[in-house]
Amino acid sequence: MVYNTVTKANHLCVLLRERLKTFAVGDQFLTIREIMREYDVSQSVVDRALARLRADNLLAVESPRNGLIVAATSVVSEETAPAEPEILLVVPHWNSYEISEMTRKVAEINSHAESLRLKTKLFEPVAPIPRGLDKILAHAGGLILLPAAGVCNREDTEILSRYAEICPTVVFGHHYAHTGAASIGLDDVAASCRAIHHLHSHGHRHVGILVSEPFGNVIAERVRTLEVYAAIHGMRAEVIDCGIMPSENPVTKTYDTFCELIKRGFSFSALIGISGESLLGAVNACRNHDIEIPRDLSIVAIAGEDFNRTFSPPIDTVACDVPGQLEEAVKLLLELKQGNLSRPYPDRYRLTELLIRGSVARLEHPEKP
């Protein structure tokens, strides 16, 4: 039989729900090997289907040796099960231009796709990976997740790995293939090199690196790349870490931090903002202290394509292309659902371009580092 785009795990889950009707509560259920042999599916498909049944409290783990027992019987039939469950897009609950870009992209995807629908769910960004999605994922057609800023600990990794077992999972904006999820994100090394090379080619040899969001894997890779490039090319790189915590307003704290830096005095001729909207705090601090961009300080950012265009003045930007990353995440998820990828799932990297808007001055005589 052909099941169109319905995943093998989705269909197996429907069949096993029907099979549960032949068991009584407390009975020993089929083993993984029995299911693989009887339904001619791989172990990864069986694992995902069983994870969904466990999430619905239909099966329970008796012991590692004795396997699964029936906790309840299913009332869902193949006819009543949805043919194509919605794909869950889970993003942090914060007001940002990037979230607005994603919302517009979701509406565009839903309006054009015939058999695909994204449903957005917000989570409080108290941790990079949201908790408690097991039951809702058991009925989802897949998960696309934008983690919150910050460093993933062991618990975050374990939770994400569990989600990837329940349903096909793609992380976008970050790289998490080691968890069992596929991922798509900006090529942070290439983006950072484009930003600092732009300054180097204009004669700047002493640059500031502004860290204006919670420190995490993406931020760490960007900072490290900038420092390595600077060292190789005889430049001096100075990191300005605003110490942003997940619960804080990054624009306000960046503004306060940069105001203090201006009062103390700084010697770098150019600034690289490795985050998006929070760079606005530094730009406003410059404007309120009569520091003219780019005459007194050149600025380039790694950020959303359009947001920095609204700054005064517009900022040269290595575009993150969040809508493009989301579109790639959807394509990657469909590959997972159709069984076209094998473990370990890939980390995919999206290249981007430098948008020149006039916020970087060319030094007539390149400065000494």
Side-chain angles (χ1 to χ4, degrees), residues 197-365:
H197 177 73
H198 183 43
L199 297 176
H200 183 266
S201 65
H202 281 66
H204 297 276
R205 298 295 181 266
H206 183 186
V207 300
I209 302 172
L210 182 67
V211 179
S212 53
E213 72 172 58
F215 216 86
N217 294 339
V218 168
I219 298 301
E221 181 147 283
R222 292 180 186 177
V223 170
R224 181 176 178 275
T225 300
L226 293 170
E227 290 178 324
V228 169
Y229 184 103
I232 290 174
H233 292 85
M235 302 172 69
R236 180 182 172 192
E238 181 179 335
V239 177
I240 303 106
D241 187 353
C242 298
I244 308 294
M245 302 300 292
S247 60
E248 295 179 312
N249 185 319
V251 176
T252 300
K253 193 165 184 180
T254 299
Y255 175 82
D256 293 339
T257 301
F258 215 77
C259 284
E260 289 298 319
L261 178 67
I262 293 171
K263 292 176 183 177
R264 294 196 308 268
F266 60 86
S267 57
F268 48 81
S269 63
L271 182 71
I272 302 175
I274 58 175
S275 305
E277 299 163 54
S278 51
L279 176 65
L280 179 61
V283 173
N284 286 340
C286 289
R287 183 166 56 230
N288 291 340
H289 287 81
D290 298 321
I291 294 175
E292 186 176 333
I293 303 168
R295 187 192 67 184
D296 303 318
L297 181 66
S298 293
I299 298 182
V300 62
I302 304 171
E305 179 175 344
D306 290 330
F307 186 77
N308 284 358
R309 181 169 56 85
T310 67
F311 283 18
S312 179
I315 302 298
D316 289 10
T317 298
V318 179
C320 287
D321 189 16
V322 171
Q325 290 187 51
L326 178 55
E327 189 170 2
E328 290 295 326
V330 171
K331 292 178 181 177
L332 186 54
L333 184 67
L334 292 179
E335 290 184 56
L336 286 177
K337 287 165 66 67
Q338 292 162 1
N340 295 338
L341 298 174
S342 57
R343 292 176 182 255
Y345 296 134
D347 277 332
R348 291 188 179 170
Y349 297 84
R350 187 173 180 84
L351 291 172
T352 188
E353 60 182 325
L354 172 67
L355 306 174
I356 298 177
R357 294 166 172 156
S359 64
V360 173
R362 183 177 296 278
L363 303 184
E364 294 184 7
H365 303 287

Side-chain angles (χ1 to χ4, degrees), residues 135-156:
K135 286 190 176 182
I136 190 171
L137 291 181
H139 302 287
L143 168 65
I144 299 177
L145 170 67
L146 173 65
V151 178
C152 274
N153 57 29
R154 182 175 179 179
E155 182 182 4
D156 291 314

